[in-house]
Amino acid sequence: MADRQLNVLSTLDHAKTQWYHFTAIVIAGMGFFTDAYDLFCISLVTKLLGRIYYTDVSKPDPGTLPPSVLAAVNGVALCGTLAGQLFFGWLGDKLGRKSVYGFTLVLMVLCSVASGLSFGRTPKGVVATLCFFRFWLGFGIGGDYPLSATIMSEYANKRTRGAFIAAVFAMQGFGILFGAIVALAVSAGFRHAYPAPPYAQGRAASLAPQADYVWRIILMFGTLPAALTYYWRMKMPETARYTALVARNAKQAAADMSRVLNTEIEEESSGAEKAAVVLAGDEWGLFSSEFVRRHGLHLVATTSTWFLLDIAFYSQNLFQKDIFSKVGWIPAARTMSAIEEVFRISRAQALIALCGTIPGYWFTVAFIDVVGRFWIQITGFAMMTAFMLGLAVPYHHWTTPGHHAGFVVMYGFTFFFANFGPNSTTFIVPAEIYPARLRSTCHGISAAAGKAGAIVGAFGFLYAAQDPHKPEAGYPRGIGIRNALFVLAGTNLLGTVMTLLVPESKGKSLEVVSQEVADDEEAA
């Protein structure tokens, strides 16, 4: 361990909140805004894709995506995200945060546009193109997780670091809402311009040919916020902690931070690089016994809690349209035209995002540096468990007419406590508790574990929620939505238990939390 902290790092820890902090939040946050838009907008258009490419007008109900196709469309971006988190997390520690940051954004922009295109007009060609480009879109999104979190944690002061990282992640809520609003606006415009009868009244006429443009516009729209922030990402300097502790250039780190913080930071030329070497510690790596001794339990904690959280979170987000249909909040597909169904689904998801998702994120921003990471996470998991049980135990009550509003309120509370809880803290903690040269890598591993949980949720819930007596066409019998909600309650309860391994990092320097210096007094 080091016997002192570098001047530049100490200055960062004690710096007053300045305009540059807010600029960094916006630049990193717009990446997450785009990530959320691109990942969750697919749930708004999957039913429309089924109607356009798989409808048989001889049948009483409009077409739906076959089970294997629906699983691929929902899950392929998550698979790409998992791979991107591991690859770019590792690369961020090898090449630096800034040099990798712009590439992920370019990849997201290009693949977002391409996912709205297709090779040919056949269902097979359209779906294959969509899945191919959504995988690489997810790969770029995956890089944004470890890089954005690490950059924000290394720029922030120790007093408000949690709120700054949480504010970056909170942009995810606005991305989900923006996706629903875009889908709402596009479907409303097309519905007005090309009116069509419900499927039950005119099977062929219910699908206006122009509906094929709706899903493409929705998917492509995600390029705008990402493209607008590219220039500012390239203007950001490398973080001082990477420059000083990994690249071993403390003087350059001091010069970079003097410029952005509008304050003069002097690093002693004699011994500064030596101090950086000492502060970085021995050259033990990720697979060493020293890492296991210092951070082994931490890695178990951050990976397991993120994995368990995302099983529930992505199950709820990707399939809430199906849950709303089952409880009767969204009418049966045959009673609507194709574009009308997109309108109804996007309106429901916008309401949930506005009332449950976004407030939860910003409650975390407000309270994380007051209450602490540990208590917010354990309380969030516990409350998610309680509300899942509140949905599952009286499930038949919620499905009866007149009680749908109560179901939606309860469902909204599960989103609130996910975001004022583990969905935010599992993103924040891995950016704080690992040493600088492994910070991005370990955050990427933790995030990838989360996406593994998301994949379990995306594929597992799709089949598990099927009615045990009358599953949808092409699906095997499942355990039903009620029992699936019980399973999600169980994963949240297990997340509560695993949170006991999570260390508290509130108000501590990154070098103290990661055990690179012994304590605040020694760091001073």
Side-chain angles (χ1 to χ4, degrees):
M1 288 189 183
D3 54 2
R4 73 176 184 88
Q5 190 181 34
L6 293 172
N7 290 340
V8 62
L9 305 187
S10 179
T11 301
L12 279 173
D13 278 344
H14 297 90
K16 294 180 179 179
T17 300
Q18 300 179 33
W19 179 249
Y20 191 76
H21 290 119
F22 295 106
T23 304
I25 289 171
V26 172
I27 295 170
M30 288 308 292
F32 263 88
F33 181 98
T34 307
D35 297 348
Y37 182 99
D38 289 332
L39 283 179
F40 294 113
C41 70
I42 194 67
S43 66
L44 299 164
V45 300
T46 49
K47 284 187 177 289
L48 179 60
L49 289 169
R51 283 197 181 227
I52 294 172
Y53 297 107
Y54 292 91
T55 290
D56 182 349
V57 293
S58 65
K59 294 183 178 179
D61 290 304
T64 58
L65 293 177
S68 59
V69 174
L70 181 58
V73 168
N74 275 321
V76 69
L78 300 177
C79 296
T81 303
L82 187 155
Q85 287 164 334
L86 292 173
F87 176 72
F88 286 114
W90 169 79
L91 205 62
D93 283 332
K94 294 298 179 183
L95 302 181
R97 291 49 161 139
K98 178 190 173 180
S99 59
V100 184
Y101 208 29
F103 179 74
T104 62
L105 202 64
V106 171
L107 188 60
M108 287 159 56
V109 168
L110 294 177
C111 291
S112 184
V113 172
S115 64
L117 306 174
S118 56
F119 302 138
R121 299 180 60 85
T122 64
K124 187 174 182 180
V126 171
V127 170
T129 306
L130 178 62
C131 288
F132 176 80
F133 285 113
R134 280 191 65 79
F135 175 86
W136 291 107
L137 173 65
F139 193 72
I141 289 171
D144 235 34
Y145 275 75
L147 294 172
S148 290
T150 301
I151 285 171
M152 198 65 246
S153 72
E154 292 182 345
Y155 272 134
N157 61 56
K158 64 182 181 180
R159 184 176 56 83
T160 58
R161 186 179 60 237
F164 287 168
I165 306 173
V168 169
F169 195 62
M171 295 300 286
Q172 189 178 78
F174 288 118
I176 294 171
L177 177 63
F178 185 66
I181 290 173
V182 168
L184 196 64
V186 172
S187 59
F190 274 79
R191 185 180 65 163
H192 177 74
Y194 308 102
Y199 184 83
Q201 296 178 16
R203 296 182 181 181
S206 71
L207 181 61
Q210 294 80 6
D212 194 50
Y213 294 112
V214 172
W215 70 270
R216 298 177 189 275
I217 293 171
I218 293 170
L219 294 186
M220 290 181 176
F221 214 87
T223 60
L224 289 180
L228 291 172
T229 58
Y230 178 78
Y231 171 78
W232 296 108
R233 279 199 180 192
M234 294 299 93
K235 293 284 286 183
M236 295 177 75
E238 182 58 84
T239 70
R241 284 183 159 89
Y242 183 86
T243 303
L245 303 182
V246 183
R248 309 283 174 76
N249 191 341
K251 290 189 71 176
Q252 182 62 49
D256 289 342
M257 292 303 102
S258 294
R259 189 168 64 253
V260 300
L261 294 177
N262 296 317
T263 183
E264 189 64 32
I265 304 173
E266 291 187 8
E267 195 64 69
E268 300 173 16
S269 56
S270 59
E273 270 69 21
K274 182 179 178 181
V277 173
V278 174
L279 193 60
D282 300 328
E283 289 302 316
W284 44 268
L286 181 65
F287 301 105
S288 66
S289 58
E290 184 66 18
F291 177 85
V292 172
R293 184 182 70 82
R294 294 191 184 197
H295 299 289
L297 280 180
H298 294 164
L299 194 59
V300 170
T302 56
T303 53
S304 62
T305 52
W306 209 336
F307 173 80
L308 294 165
L309 175 275
D310 273 5
I311 291 177
F313 186 74
Y314 279 82
S315 296
Q316 290 174 259
N317 264 299
L318 292 175
F319 300 107
Q320 60 179 281
K321 62 186 184 302
D322 304 297
I323 296 173
F324 291 155
S325 297
K326 292 281 175 46
V327 300
W329 198 36
I330 297 175
R334 72 176 75 90
T335 66
M336 299 178 284
S337 69
I339 297 175
E340 173 72 18
E341 187 173 26
V342 177
F343 179 83
R344 295 290 189 98
I345 291 170
S346 55
R347 186 175 65 181
Q349 296 202 180
L351 185 62
I352 288 293
L354 193 61
C355 298
T357 304
I358 291 175
Y361 283 117
W362 290 97
F363 265 69
T364 301
V365 174
F367 293 107
I368 191 162
D369 287 312
V370 178
V371 178
R373 288 72 162 147
F374 175 83
W375 286 109
I376 286 179
Q377 181 163 314
I378 203 165
T379 303
F381 265 129
M383 295 304 292
M384 287 172 69
T385 305
F387 280 106
M388 280 291 185
L389 291 174
L391 292 172
V393 173
Y395 179 73
H396 298 297
H397 166 79
W398 298 123
T399 60
T400 57
H403 299 113
H404 301 156
F407 180 92
V408 173
V409 170
M410 294 281 285
Y411 198 68
F413 270 116
T414 65
F415 279 105
F416 175 82
F417 282 105
N419 296 314
F420 182 41
N423 192 42
S424 296
T425 53
T426 52
F427 175 79
I428 295 167
V429 172
E432 298 181 312
I433 64 175
Y434 298 109
R437 71 180 184 284
L438 297 174
R439 185 169 291 133
S440 180
T441 301
C442 290
H443 194 285
I445 293 170
S446 303
K451 282 301 169 285
I455 292 167
V456 170
F459 289 96
F461 193 86
L462 177 65
Y463 290 93
Q466 293 298 314
D467 192 288
H469 306 295
K470 291 179 64 179
E472 295 177 24
Y475 289 89
R477 294 181 178 183
I479 60 176
I481 286 184
R482 181 172 187 262
N483 289 327
L485 291 173
F486 275 119
V487 171
L488 296 182
T491 63
N492 291 329
L493 182 61
L494 187 55
T496 309
V497 175
M498 296 306 296
T499 298
L500 297 174
L501 298 176
V502 174
E504 181 56 74
S505 50
K506 181 185 74 170
K508 298 177 182 178
S509 168
L510 291 178
E511 287 68 53
V512 173
V513 177
S514 62
Q515 302 177 35
E516 292 174 289
V517 295
D519 51 39
D520 283 322
E521 288 73 27
E522 193 169 353

